[in-house]
Structure formats: C-alpha cells, structure tokens
C-alpha cells in the first residue's frame, strides 16, 4: 500500500538510505529541506521501504525496497 509520508516524519526514512545512490547530494538536499519533494512509504509510523520523489523529477528508492513493492507502488502512483 502506498502512503505519503508527512514532511514532519521525514527523519524516519533517513536510515533507509544507507547505500550510496547516484546524485546522493540531491537526496540529502531533500532531507535537509533545501529541495522540495514527497515520500511514499509502506508504513507511515515505522517505514521499512520508501520512494522519494523530488520535484525536479528525480526518484530515490530505499535500500530494502524489492522489485515487487516498487512495481506496485509506482503503478499505484501512476494511476493517481
């Protein structure tokens, strides 16, 4: 299930992005509230998987997200 994470809970997802990703500096600018975006998670109170979508059209997927969850999440997002 896709749940948009409220901005005030953004700190919950930072530990989910330990592996280095391309253009990590943009992701950290999002975490530091320099760049706008939104995050979708599997559990709003204790997320284990996350997709961060920056307003500049970049998307970051957390380390533990498996392909099945990614596909389901993106399909749900596209249908909005």
């Amino acid at each position: 299930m896709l749940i948009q994470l409220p901005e005030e809970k953004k700190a919950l997802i930072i530990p989910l992005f330990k592996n280095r990703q391309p253009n990590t500096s943009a992701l950290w600018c999002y975490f530091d509230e320099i760049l706008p975006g939104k995050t979708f998670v599997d559990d709003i109170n204790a997320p284990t998987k996350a997709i961060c979508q920056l307003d500049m059209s970049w998307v970051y997927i957390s380390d533990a997200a498996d392909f099945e969850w990614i596909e389901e999440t993106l399909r749900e997002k596209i249908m909005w």
Side-chain angles (χ1 to χ4, degrees):
M1 181 175 173
L2 177 66
I3 306 164
Q4 186 169 348
L5 187 71
E7 288 296 303
E8 61 271 10
K9 291 189 170 201
K10 196 183 322 183
L12 291 174
I13 62 161
I14 293 173
L16 304 180
F17 291 88
K18 292 180 183 175
N19 291 340
R20 184 153 175 78
Q21 298 196 27
N23 301 310
T24 302
S25 58
L27 178 63
W28 280 97
C29 285
Y30 168 69
F31 290 152
D32 292 337
E33 299 181 10
I34 297 168
L35 289 175
K38 52 191 153 204
T39 298
F40 301 94
V41 296
D42 59 338
D43 182 327
I44 201 164
N45 294 311
T48 61
K49 301 173 189 170
I51 294 179
C52 297
Q53 178 185 8
L54 305 187
D55 285 358
M56 56 193 272
S57 299
W58 290 7
V59 175
Y60 294 89
I61 300 171
S62 65
D63 304 340
D66 55 60
F67 286 118
E68 183 178 328
W69 184 80
I70 294 167
E71 182 179 11
E72 176 185 327
T73 301
L74 293 178
R75 186 177 300 127
E76 189 174 330
K77 169 122 178 56
I78 290 168
M79 296 181 129
W80 280 6

